[in-house]
Amino acid sequence: DIQMTQSPSTLSASVGDRVTITCRASQSISSWLAWYQQKPGKTPKLLIYKASSLESGVPSRFSGSGSGTEFTLTISSLQPDDFATYYCQQYNSYSRTFGQGTKVEIK
Amino acid sequence: EVQLVESGGGLVQPGGSLRLSCAASGFTFSSYSMNWVRQAPGKGLEWVSYISSSSSSIYYADSVKGRFTISRDNAKNSLYLQMNSLRDEDTAVYYCARDRGVVVVDAFDIWGQGTMVTVSS
């Protein structure tokens, strides 16, 4: 199975900061990568699909990049609503796998 | 409104069985592949199982293979997960989730609210 590794596990940032989260795949997954946001007690929300495509309704401050084995999620200017846990997910195969998550906390 | 609503969770003893259901509405259920994803308390997301729109392709995570069975009834707009031989480590919130594309394997664009399964004696 393809393993997904996110870094960092926790990130402390302030409103207005530029934030970058990295996700690495154990083998090439082309651009078959998604990013999700999950708030405590809530359902995950799709932010980015196919590595860099913004899901409808998601603010443009979110962006994704990368291909192959290395990917990033960037929040250009962190907003109060963005404090949450973020997961990457590969869908290069039917056996989808998630990263372990990155918690974005208030500094 | 596009919606997925899970049901069937609860408390079950180790070795027991449970059947989860996911009712879909607001979209053409029969056109989309579906999945089950779970999240243990305080932990991350774990993909559990996939079923294609016509049920012709089915896949499971190694952790549940041989114990869980995914199925669907397109006439009833419903997805199911039969869980047998349950273990403590199966304790989690179980979500059903839709593949966003209708042609190929894709990201999950619609999620249900989840149903809690607790395996404990």
Side-chain angles (χ1 to χ4, degrees), chain A residues 37-45 80-86:
Chain A
Q37 176 194 66
Q38 188 180 32
K39 297 178 181 179
K42 300 296 186 182
T43 293
K45 174 187 176 182
D81 192 48
D82 301 338
F83 292 96
T85 299
Y86 294 84

Side-chain angles (χ1 to χ4, degrees), chain B residues 43-54:
Chain B
K43 302 297 184 182
L45 300 168
E46 179 188 16
W47 170 80
V48 171
S49 185
Y50 162 94
I51 186 168
S52 63
S53 58
S54 64

Side-chain angles (χ1 to χ4, degrees), chain B residues 44-85:
Chain B
L45 300 168
E46 179 188 16
W47 170 80
V48 171
S49 185
Y50 162 94
I51 186 168
S52 63
S53 58
S54 64
S55 304
S56 59
S57 295
I58 287 176
Y59 297 89
Y60 299 98
D62 288 344
S63 58
V64 307
K65 203 172 293 183
R67 301 187 299 121
F68 290 11
T69 301
I70 192 172
S71 63
R72 64 191 294 162
D73 185 336
N74 286 342
K76 295 183 177 180
N77 291 335
S78 293
L79 175 72
Y80 306 101
L81 186 68
Q82 177 66 42
M83 304 186 295
N84 298 330
S85 303

Side-chain angles (χ1 to χ4, degrees), chain A residues 8-9 11 14 20 22-23 37 39-40 59 61-62 64-68 72 75 79-80 83 86 103:
Chain A
S9 295
L11 185 160
S14 302
T20 299
T22 298
C23 179
Q37 176 194 66
K39 297 178 181 179
R61 63 180 179 273
F62 291 93
S65 65
S67 66
T72 58
I75 308 173
Q79 299 302 300
F83 292 96
Y86 294 84
K103 186 175 183 180

Side-chain angles (χ1 to χ4, degrees), chain B:
Chain B
E1 180 191 5
V2 175
Q3 199 171 12
L4 297 170
V5 178
E6 301 94 336
S7 60
L11 175 64
V12 61
Q13 292 188 337
S17 298
L18 213 54
R19 189 195 195 206
L20 306 183
S21 299
C22 171
S25 60
F27 65 98
T28 306
F29 179 72
S30 60
S31 296
Y32 289 86
S33 299
M34 298 294 297
N35 301 267
W36 287 98
V37 178
R38 68 185 180 183
Q39 187 169 35
K43 302 297 184 182
L45 300 168
E46 179 188 16
W47 170 80
V48 171
S49 185
Y50 162 94
I51 186 168
S52 63
S53 58
S54 64
S55 304
S56 59
S57 295
I58 287 176
Y59 297 89
Y60 299 98
D62 288 344
S63 58
V64 307
K65 203 172 293 183
R67 301 187 299 121
F68 290 11
T69 301
I70 192 172
S71 63
R72 64 191 294 162
D73 185 336
N74 286 342
K76 295 183 177 180
N77 291 335
S78 293
L79 175 72
Y80 306 101
L81 186 68
Q82 177 66 42
M83 304 186 295
N84 298 330
S85 303
L86 283 161
R87 306 167 179 168
D88 291 351
E89 56 265 34
D90 295 319
T91 294
V93 174
Y94 285 74
Y95 298 100
C96 58
R98 187 183 83 169
D99 267 24
R100 65 179 296 282
V102 297
V103 177
V104 296
V105 172
D106 214 326
F108 302 156
D109 64 340
I110 305 296
W111 296 65
Q113 86 288 351
T115 188
M116 184 70 203
V117 172
T118 303
V119 184
S120 175
S121 53

Side-chain angles (χ1 to χ4, degrees), chain A residues 55-99:
Chain A
E55 176 70 349
S56 176
V58 174
S60 59
R61 63 180 179 273
F62 291 93
S63 64
S65 65
S67 66
T69 62
E70 194 143 335
F71 302 86
T72 58
L73 173 70
T74 300
I75 308 173
S76 60
S77 178
L78 198 65
Q79 299 302 300
D81 192 48
D82 301 338
F83 292 96
T85 299
Y86 294 84
Y87 294 93
C88 64
Q89 178 209 31
Q90 67 81 17
Y91 53 100
N92 183 70
S93 68
Y94 290 104
S95 180
R96 263 62 77 84
T97 45
F98 292 90

